[in-house]
Amino acid sequence: MTGHPALVFRANYFGDPAASLALAALLDDTFGIDVTILDRLGGPDPTGVPFAWFDASGTCIANISAFSMPLVINGNFTRAAGLQSGAVRPDFRGRGLFRSVMEAALDYCDSEGFEAVALLTDKPTLYERYGFRALAQHRFASPAPKGGRAGATRQLDMANDADVTLLRRLLSGRRPVSDRFAPLRQVEMFLFNAALMPDLRLDLMEEDGSVIAWQQGEDGTFELFDVAGAQIPALTDILASLRITPSKIRVHFAPDHLDWTGEAIADEGGMALMLRGAEGLLPQKPFALPPMAEF
Ligand SMILES: CC(C)(COP(=O)(O)OP(=O)(O)OC[C@H]1O[C@@H](n2cnc3c(N)ncnc32)[C@H](O)[C@@H]1OP(=O)(O)O)[C@@H](O)C(=O)NCCC(=O)NCCS
């Protein structure tokens, strides 16, 4: 680890509440995102391991955090890690601090035996030097299919603690939403993303025990973001149960479990999903990381 005068390197410091709050301040200052809302939702991801530089007053100057993110890729279980919360305070940029925390995080991922490391970024060139490659993502679109069986639904409310508890339970025992590429378990980011999406609808299909994360698009399109539960209902049953008749459907993950196929449309721009791992791990068919799993 290269030395940086007046700064102290710390790894795995989430047990220290003051240091965790200092990271929250760095993320709020850098991205305008308040990660402390996770405290109300059951706490941060317990698998998270941060790598950071602090100054003498305890201010977090630079950070990146690794967390366990088991994935299904091409139908196979993949022991993967995610990297998130990468930031350096403006006055300290350009001195190699980010490189040093990245190297520490990647050493950790390699020593823990993770087969793949994933991240999302608007600066892909920053990560190519560490062996990350951007993956093409697709959305899936079609006119709305007809038919389907209407079951009982109940709208969930992220402000209701009992609904959050129910969501946590369903997310913990969920079936991956796609076999092509999907997280096996990612409770915290689903809840965090849901809390930040004012127009998101979360509807529980009571017979299936599945939560439908969706939104009505501006043009009346049904935007399907995720389905969380032990069962994944057919798209026609989802639409019938929600009692909606949209003109168009856009599914934001590979729909191989929805008993429906849409046209795969390549993403343009936006955040890049990058993966570091063996070539054979690349998804073989069009896919997207579900928006509720973005990290
Ligand atoms: C991007 C950021 C983390 C870089 O931090 P930093 O400490 O200045 O980076 P370093 O000095 O360690 O630079 C490491 C390398 O990345 C390169 N780099 C720095 N910023 C870059 C950028 N925006 N795009 C591409 N490469 C960049 C540097 O040139 C350097 O290259 P080298 O190893 O060949 O010398 C920092 O500018 C930041 O916090 N930005 C705002 C938040 C952000 O964008 N976070 C990452 C998004 S996922």
Side-chain angles (χ1 to χ4, degrees), residues 14 20 35-36 38-39 41-48 84 168 185 188:
F14 280 160
S20 299
V35 294
T36 64
L38 270 168
D39 297 340
L41 302 174
D45 186 332
T47 70
Q84 64 181 177
R168 290 190 72 88
R185 178 202 167 279
E188 291 77 17

Side-chain angles (χ1 to χ4, degrees), residues 152-288:
T153 61
R154 178 170 75 79
Q155 190 174 346
L156 302 184
D157 179 1
M158 287 298 294
N160 178 322
D161 288 346
D163 283 354
V164 172
T165 302
L166 172 69
L167 266 169
R168 290 190 72 88
R169 184 169 62 72
L170 294 175
L171 287 163
S172 298
R174 73 180 300 177
R175 179 182 183 199
V177 76
S178 165
D179 279 347
R180 296 186 193 172
F181 186 99
L184 275 177
R185 178 202 167 279
Q186 215 207 28
V187 176
E188 291 77 17
M189 287 318 299
F190 185 109
L191 297 175
F192 184 70
N193 289 325
L196 293 179
M197 296 167 75
D199 297 327
L200 179 75
R201 282 275 305 264
L202 294 170
D203 286 270
L204 173 69
M205 288 178 63
E206 299 193 277
E207 281 167 43
D208 303 83
S210 309
V211 171
I212 314 303
W214 67 285
Q215 193 167 302
Q216 175 105 17
E218 278 172 17
D219 55 356
T221 301
F222 174 72
E223 310 276 359
L224 182 57
F225 294 142
D226 207 346
V227 180
Q231 299 189 58
I232 299 175
L235 182 66
T236 49
D237 292 349
I238 293 174
L239 294 171
S241 300
L242 294 174
R243 290 161 175 84
I244 53 173
T245 50
S247 53
K248 281 189 290 179
I249 307 290
R250 185 157 42 232
V251 175
H252 294 251
F253 52 86
D256 42 302
H257 293 326
L258 290 178
D259 202 12
W260 167 85
T261 46
E263 181 193 355
I265 298 168
D267 272 5
E268 288 171 12
M271 298 287 273
L273 173 65
M274 302 188 84
L275 202 67
R276 174 184 182 266
E279 282 290 317
L281 282 175
L282 296 182
Q284 299 299 310
K285 293 185 177 167
F287 81 98

Side-chain angles (χ1 to χ4, degrees), residues 17-40:
S20 299
L21 275 178
L23 171 60
L26 171 66
L27 299 177
D28 205 352
D29 293 346
T30 308
F31 302 112
I33 293 176
D34 177 10
V35 294
T36 64
I37 61 171
L38 270 168
D39 297 340
R40 188 185 69 76

